[in-house]
Amino acid sequence: MNKKQGAQSIAFASPPIITSVANIVGPMEGEGLLQQYFDHIMPDNLNNWDTWEQCESFMMEWAIRAAANKDKITIDMIDCILAGDLLNQLMSTHFAIKNLSRPFLGLYGACSTMIESLLLGAILLDGGFANKVAAATSSHHDAAERQYRFPSELGVQRPPGAQWTVTGSGAAILSVTGSGPRITMATIGKIVDYGIKDTNAMGAAMAPAAVDTLWEHFQDTGRMPAYYDMIFTGDLGSVGKELVIQLMKEKGLNITSNYQDCGCMIYRKEQDTHAGASGCASSAVVFCGYLYNMLMNSSLKKILLVGTGSLHSTTSYQQKESIPGIAHAVAIEI
Amino acid sequence: MNKKQGAQSIAFASPPIITSVANIVGPMEGEGLLQQYFDHIMPDNLNNWDTWEQCESFMMEWAIRAAANKDKITIDMIDCILAGDLLNQLMSTHFAIKNLSRPFLGLYGACSTMIESLLLGAILLDGGFANKVAAATSSHHDAAERQYRFPSELGVQRPPGAQWTVTGSGAAILSVTGSGPRITMATIGKIVDYGIKDTNAMGAAMAPAAVDTLWEHFQDTGRMPAYYDMIFTGDLGSVGKELVIQLMKEKGLNITSNYQDCGCMIYRKEQDTHAGASGCASSAVVFCGYLYNMLMNSSLKKILLVGTGSLHSTTSYQQKESIPGIAHAVAIEI
């Protein structure tokens, strides 16, 4: 492919096929709106493990093995695993992946990691570097809250704009052969920072990055928002979603009719999660379940999936730095 | 390329060219063995910044801009930046990259990140997805020690097997055209864990992963160690280096005559760093300086560079988990 200078998007010559997906969630997600689209719902957030982190590792390993099983392949047939999570030094990912003993590339894009892994997986396949790869990510509510904010047991009151980190993992098998929806295009995002400093306002911190990536995607590809049956962002929640609609309108594009955020699709209103879901698993469990299902039964034929990541750490927050955001996009079509 | 099932290695059809490199280090590295191969030596570990983290971000941005300048390209001509560091949530990387406003993929491979970024950069170029990419990584002694062990100011005594985290950053520009050494092959590593639990014994924790990747590289490619003028690991230090030699010997391969570790090449003995250097910047500042120079003047023509990463976090350590290791390799030839 000849790349125009400055372009952020890739069109795959032989669009890689997502041949199978699997997901697993915690009990709260299991009581939510997408209940019927989860492969496994754990009875509690520990699932008999000693630590939340071990439980998160278990979920990722489970999701990858389940996706491989559905695809009727053995783990040995996976050429490379691309994965990451939210915990310091990708702790959950590393302890999950070491049990699988396959070549591994660790990624960190905060909550955009599922899309980063799909995007790089597609690059490995379309470039001829692999025949099958697994893309996976996970998050765990309690592990993430303790690390980024407060331990859940403290019962600290959450502001209305806060989001709820999803406990779950999603994995996809990408292949050069087989059947399923294909990753036709990808847009690699830039880091965008509008100066938001409140770690409870992640939707607002990530929205400008989502808008930047959407805009670049449409510029690069010549597509208009209406080309897609639906455009999904990963975990902006209700606050970030409204900001995306507004910022896109300021750029002259109206996406109200075919845009939704995965963070607004997981929990019921009465679950009182405030602004919706967040975490790597937000886009991962929605795509590796509901959306994949909609694509397979042709309820949706063309979607643009935009992973959104809030690139702060507790250190950067304590040092009064702002929260940079990033968003990567993949076009998935069947 | 047709990939044999189970193989971990890639042979690039059009080996990407490393057209320029740059590095920057702290004062202690500047007093070390490779003094003349550093582009910039900071007067102290803050370099007028308020925090060590800001200083680390500065180093990475400086290294990428310097590598681009040497290559006579503007930052706008870089299609994608691949980078990561050791700090929680890649803090240094994100604040460096946001100033560059280019498409970015965040990677985490602990101290193997430089090689992971070179490897994925080569994939982007050889696959036709980009024309120029930047690969970069950084580490900062004080920021890393505070995060992983103890704040430097505490003056905690270090055990003899401990290594010294390098303060520095290295960046490389990879291109489909131009002149310079080429990345001809890459081997993506598996996570290997021999059960080491002492975070001061990282060389021992990472050595088995290095051996696994070396072994797979030789198996996949049919090359023998003697094919390379030199084989370099990233930051095993004197303890890990001896283990690699021993473990390779047990596999029937003698690499004593053409093997060295970047962690043993940075500091002078009298600097008393104990087992040598570690950190993402260990392999980065050695490659993006001394080794690149040796390749350009043909003192070395074929090297195998093996990045080694210790995949622990403070949480995994406190939870009494072992330290998984990983190693990725790139063959660089001129």
Side-chain angles (χ1 to χ4, degrees):
Chain A
M1 196 192 68
N2 272 316
K3 228 175 127 58
K4 189 177 65 190
Q5 196 194 310
Q8 297 178 214
S9 304
I10 287 164
F12 295 109
S14 308
I17 305 153
I18 305 173
T19 51
S20 85
V21 294
N23 64 17
I24 175 171
V25 294
M28 181 150 157
E29 292 70 25
E31 289 167 8
L33 296 163
L34 299 180
Q35 191 172 47
Q36 67 187 106
Y37 297 100
F38 296 135
D39 292 314
H40 186 66
I41 298 169
M42 299 187 299
D44 58 58
N45 273 5
L46 272 174
N47 201 40
N48 285 323
W49 294 92
D50 289 336
T51 66
W52 295 321
E53 289 77 8
Q54 286 175 349
C55 179
E56 187 175 338
S57 289
F58 156 78
M59 290 193 293
M60 185 184 283
E61 187 182 342
W62 191 96
I64 295 172
R65 288 191 189 277
N69 280 343
K70 286 192 201 178
D71 207 27
K72 297 187 174 56
I73 61 168
T74 58
I75 297 295
D76 285 352
M77 294 166 73
I78 298 170
D79 293 316
C80 185
I81 301 173
L82 301 115
D85 65 82
L86 286 176
L87 298 185
N88 294 339
Q89 287 69 54
L90 310 189
M91 172 173 172
S92 301
T93 301
H94 294 144
F95 286 90
I97 303 300
K98 83 170 184 178
N99 296 333
L100 300 173
S101 204
R102 296 305 302 147
F104 164 71
L105 293 168
L107 310 178
Y108 186 77
C111 308
S112 72
T113 305
M114 188 69 211
I115 311 306
E116 185 180 355
S117 66
L118 289 171
L119 180 165
L120 274 168
I123 283 173
L124 281 169
L125 296 180
D126 188 47
F129 304 105
N131 293 318
K132 280 187 200 301
V133 302
T137 186
S138 63
S139 54
H140 189 293
H141 180 80
D142 301 291
E145 289 303 314
R146 182 181 56 200
Q147 178 183 287
Y148 283 102
R149 296 177 197 88
F150 301 101
S152 313
E153 300 95 323
L154 267 182
V156 171
Q157 193 175 9
R158 304 164 60 247
Q163 294 171 247
W164 192 269
T165 308
V166 172
T167 299
S169 176
I173 304 291
L174 276 60
S175 179
V176 290
T177 55
S179 63
R182 289 168 179 269
I183 300 178
T184 55
M185 289 190 176
T187 302
I188 304 175
K190 302 190 292 275
I191 296 180
V192 177
D193 190 338
Y194 272 29
I196 304 282
K197 293 192 172 189
D198 177 357
T199 56
N200 278 305
M202 292 192 309
M206 296 186 285
V211 169
D212 188 72
T213 296
L214 283 168
W215 180 254
E216 297 294 340
H217 179 81
F218 296 131
Q219 295 296 307
D220 289 347
T221 63
R223 291 179 174 177
M224 289 297 281
Y227 175 87
Y228 295 102
D229 297 332
M230 281 297 288
I231 296 165
F232 296 95
T233 46
D235 66 336
L236 297 179
S238 55
V239 176
K241 181 186 158 188
E242 285 311 310
L243 285 171
V244 165
I245 290 172
Q246 195 180 315
L247 290 167
M248 287 301 283
K249 207 168 273 176
E250 287 174 15
K251 285 180 174 289
L253 293 175
N254 188 334
I255 57 168
T256 43
S257 62
N258 64 336
Y259 165 58
Q260 182 54 283
D261 179 71
C262 297
C264 299
M265 298 163 67
I266 298 177
Y267 301 114
R268 297 177 196 277
K269 202 172 174 1
E270 58 271 27
Q271 288 184 293
D272 197 25
T273 57
H274 300 357
S278 69
C280 292
S282 176
S283 57
V285 304
V286 173
F287 175 71
C288 300
Y290 175 68
L291 293 184
Y292 189 81
N293 220 283
M294 293 295 111
L295 288 160
M296 288 301 272
N297 69 21
S298 295
S299 303
L300 291 171
K301 289 181 177 167
K302 295 169 182 179
I303 67 169
L304 185 66
L305 192 56
V306 185
T308 40
S310 169
L311 305 176
H312 66 293
S313 74
T314 48
T315 312
S316 66
Y317 172 72
Q318 286 162 357
Q319 292 179 354
K320 316 250 186 253
E321 302 280 4
S322 55
I323 304 178
I326 196 162
H328 302 298
V330 284
I332 303 176
E333 307 180 60
I334 194 153
Chain B
M1 196 191 67
N2 273 314
K3 228 177 126 61
K4 191 177 66 190
Q5 197 192 311
Q8 298 178 211
S9 303
I10 287 164
F12 295 108
S14 308
I17 305 152
I18 304 172
T19 50
S20 84
V21 294
N23 64 14
I24 175 172
V25 293
M28 182 150 155
E29 293 70 25
E31 288 166 10
L33 295 163
L34 299 180
Q35 191 172 48
Q36 68 189 107
Y37 297 100
F38 297 134
D39 293 314
H40 186 67
I41 299 168
M42 299 187 299
D44 58 60
N45 273 6
L46 273 176
N47 201 41
N48 285 323
W49 294 91
D50 288 336
T51 67
W52 294 322
E53 289 78 6
Q54 286 175 349
C55 178
E56 187 176 339
S57 289
F58 155 77
M59 288 193 294
M60 185 185 283
E61 187 183 341
W62 190 96
I64 295 173
R65 288 190 188 277
N69 279 344
K70 284 192 201 178
D71 207 25
K72 298 187 175 57
I73 61 169
T74 58
I75 296 296
D76 285 352
M77 293 167 74
I78 298 171
D79 293 316
C80 187
I81 301 172
L82 301 113
D85 64 83
L86 287 175
L87 298 185
N88 294 341
Q89 286 72 52
L90 312 188
M91 174 172 171
S92 302
T93 301
H94 293 145
F95 286 90
I97 304 300
K98 84 170 184 178
N99 295 333
L100 301 172
S101 201
R102 294 305 303 146
F104 164 70
L105 293 166
L107 311 177
Y108 186 77
C111 308
S112 71
T113 305
M114 189 69 212
I115 312 306
E116 185 181 355
S117 65
L118 288 172
L119 180 164
L120 274 169
I123 283 174
L124 280 170
L125 296 180
D126 188 47
F129 304 105
N131 293 320
K132 280 187 199 301
V133 301
T137 187
S138 63
S139 54
H140 189 293
H141 180 81
D142 301 290
E145 289 303 313
R146 182 181 56 199
Q147 177 182 289
Y148 283 102
R149 296 177 195 88
F150 301 100
S152 314
E153 299 94 323
L154 266 180
V156 171
Q157 195 175 8
R158 303 164 62 245
Q163 295 171 246
W164 192 270
T165 308
V166 172
T167 299
S169 175
I173 304 291
L174 277 60
S175 179
V176 290
T177 55
S179 63
R182 289 168 180 268
I183 301 179
T184 54
M185 289 191 175
T187 302
I188 304 175
K190 300 191 292 277
I191 296 181
V192 177
D193 190 338
Y194 272 27
I196 304 283
K197 293 191 173 191
D198 178 357
T199 55
N200 277 307
M202 293 192 311
M206 296 187 284
V211 170
D212 188 73
T213 296
L214 283 168
W215 179 254
E216 297 294 341
H217 178 81
F218 296 132
Q219 295 296 305
D220 289 347
T221 63
R223 291 178 174 177
M224 291 297 282
Y227 175 86
Y228 294 102
D229 297 331
M230 281 299 287
I231 297 165
F232 297 94
T233 46
D235 65 337
L236 297 178
S238 55
V239 176
K241 179 186 158 188
E242 284 311 309
L243 285 169
V244 164
I245 290 170
Q246 195 180 314
L247 290 166
M248 287 301 284
K249 207 169 269 175
E250 287 174 16
K251 286 181 175 285
L253 292 175
N254 187 335
I255 57 167
T256 42
S257 62
N258 62 337
Y259 164 58
Q260 183 54 282
D261 179 72
C262 297
C264 300
M265 298 163 67
I266 298 177
Y267 302 113
R268 297 176 196 277
K269 204 172 177 349
E270 58 272 26
Q271 288 183 293
D272 197 23
T273 57
H274 300 358
S278 69
C280 291
S282 176
S283 56
V285 304
V286 173
F287 175 71
C288 298
Y290 175 67
L291 293 184
Y292 189 82
N293 219 284
M294 293 294 110
L295 287 160
M296 288 299 273
N297 69 22
S298 295
S299 303
L300 292 171
K301 287 180 179 168
K302 295 169 181 179
I303 68 168
L304 185 66
L305 192 56
V306 186
T308 41
S310 170
L311 304 176
H312 66 293
S313 73
T314 48
T315 312
S316 66
Y317 172 72
Q318 285 162 357
Q319 292 180 353
K320 317 251 185 250
E321 303 280 4
S322 56
I323 304 178
I326 197 161
H328 303 297
V330 284
I332 303 174
E333 306 180 62
I334 195 153

